[in-house]
Amino acid sequence: MTQDLPGRTEVVIIGGGIVGCAIAYHLARIGITDVVLLERRKLTCGTTWHAAGLVGQLRATRNMTELAKYTSELFAGLGAETGQATGFRQNGSIAVALHPERFEELKRGASMARNFGLEVEVIGPTEIRERHPLVDLGGVVGGVFLPKDGQTNPIDTTLALAKGARMRGVRILEDLPVERILVEGGRAVGVRTPVGELRAGTVVLAAGMWSRWLARDIGVHLPLHAAEHFYVVTEAIEGLPRELPVLRVPDECAYCKEDA
Ligand SMILES: Cc1cc2nc3c(=O)[nH]c(=O)nc-3n(C[C@H](O)[C@H](O)[C@H](O)COP(=O)(O)OP(=O)(O)OC[C@H]3O[C@@H](n4cnc5c(N)ncnc54)[C@H](O)[C@@H]3O)c2cc1C
């Protein structure tokens, strides 16, 4: 391991979840390849492997929506580019309203989506049933359908980003935790690991919910904490059509999707 850790790099990234790997990939794509990513265990072992993998496009602002649209475009081509399948597919999503007020909110969201250039349809109960035959329509007022929404396999997508970064020269070292961010003159200048120090022009902290502790050690308050998110994975359901849209029921704080 020691021989793998260089003494200096242009950029060091702490954390091998989807965020750290996406940063490594995009740095490499713009020609910044003197990059070392350090993961304390294995890539995706943090929060990323838990993710449901929903890839939604509508966000609260135009810039966030543009980013989400870019993400879909990126995921659509990443498997072919890297040779690592991602599991990405655009089977659409339906958000269902159980109250008139919620339907109003969804319709406003649909107007905003159109304004942002997204494909969106406001649909009634009959069309909801056509697109998702298993929905119990009792109490359903209406909904919106976003045909370009989709889902991906978060582990495979992260591995594809990591592969795309490695193909361009990024070094990714697993089983190597960062113990502390090194600070000199009020500036992050590298990291300390069990096998030595790595000096860097830029330190990127992408350790997810663990970032808080690394930041705390250098006097920076990051207001991040874990929150519970319950989910149920069923056995295969006989007769369930594949490629159904993701179903979101905001009034019940719930969503359903096909798992891999
Ligand atoms: C049940 C569930 C469902 C979700 N569903 C979705 C969804 O449908 N769509 C969506 O977009 N998002 C979803 N999310 C959120 C998504 O999973 C996270 O936003 C995302 O995975 C965060 O990625 P990350 O890289 O920031 O963090 P992480 O994946 O946690 O990566 C951080 C990495 O840093 C490493 N690390 C920590 N400390 C150190 C250290 N000292 N040195 C080196 N490495 C270190 C960890 O081991 C870890 O691998 C879901 C989350 C959960 C829990």
Side-chain angles (χ1 to χ4, degrees):
M1 185 66 73
T2 313
Q3 68 277 13
D4 288 332
L5 189 71
R8 187 171 174 83
T9 183
E10 191 174 349
V11 181
V12 61
I13 299 169
I14 309 168
I18 196 161
V19 172
C21 290
I23 292 169
Y25 170 85
H26 285 93
L27 284 174
R29 267 202 12 192
I30 59 169
I32 301 174
T33 55
D34 182 14
V35 176
V36 177
L37 184 151
L38 300 177
E39 164 54 47
R40 65 178 177 159
R41 291 185 189 145
K42 299 291 178 203
L43 296 182
T44 78
C45 76
T47 307
T48 294
W49 77 269
H50 288 285
L54 305 182
V55 185
Q57 301 216 314
L58 179 59
R59 292 287 183 268
T61 64
R62 180 177 292 276
N63 282 347
M64 292 302 288
T65 304
E66 289 298 334
L67 261 179
K69 278 164 68 180
Y70 164 74
T71 300
S72 291
E73 287 159 21
L74 174 70
F75 287 179
L78 197 58
E81 179 199 327
T82 62
Q84 162 69 53
T86 60
F88 178 66
R89 56 179 205 249
Q90 286 174 297
N91 39 340
S93 79
I94 301 175
V96 164
L98 303 182
H99 303 285
E101 295 81 5
R102 179 72 69 188
F103 195 30
E104 192 58 38
E105 183 196 341
L106 291 180
K107 284 191 282 189
R108 282 188 198 167
S111 307
M112 194 168 78
R114 265 185 225 108
N115 196 23
F116 290 167
L118 294 180
E119 279 180 52
V120 59
E121 291 171 37
V122 175
I123 54 180
T126 311
E127 293 146 301
I128 292 172
R129 169 59 59 74
E130 280 166 13
R131 295 194 184 281
H132 206 305
L134 298 176
V135 176
D136 173 359
L137 288 177
V140 171
V141 182
V144 297
F145 175 58
L146 283 138
K148 292 285 169 61
D149 274 3
Q151 61 187 74
T152 198
N153 178 318
I155 296 175
D156 290 343
T157 304
T158 305
L159 295 181
L161 289 165
K163 191 170 176 195
R166 279 195 183 106
M167 282 160 54
R168 294 173 170 90
V170 170
R171 281 164 290 180
I172 295 180
L173 304 181
E174 294 177 290
D175 300 310
L176 189 51
V178 168
E179 294 172 336
R180 188 178 177 85
I181 296 171
L182 304 173
V183 177
E184 286 173 10
R187 191 172 181 283
V189 294
V191 295
R192 188 183 76 206
T193 80
V195 295
E197 288 186 0
L198 171 57
R199 311 284 293 187
T202 302
V203 177
V204 178
L205 180 52
M209 66 183 202
W210 297 275
S211 294
R212 177 181 178 177
W213 309 113
L214 285 166
R216 185 200 57 183
D217 290 346
I218 54 169
V220 175
H221 175 61
L222 269 186
L224 282 173
H225 69 93
E228 285 182 325
H229 177 138
F230 296 98
Y231 61 90
V232 176
V233 180
T234 72
E235 296 297 331
I237 298 173
E238 207 177 322
L240 185 70
R242 300 203 71 123
E243 311 286 325
L244 285 176
V246 171
L247 182 69
R248 299 175 200 266
V249 190
D251 293 302
E252 295 178 343
C253 299
Y255 58 81
C256 309
K257 66 173 272 279
E258 184 190 336
D259 208 34

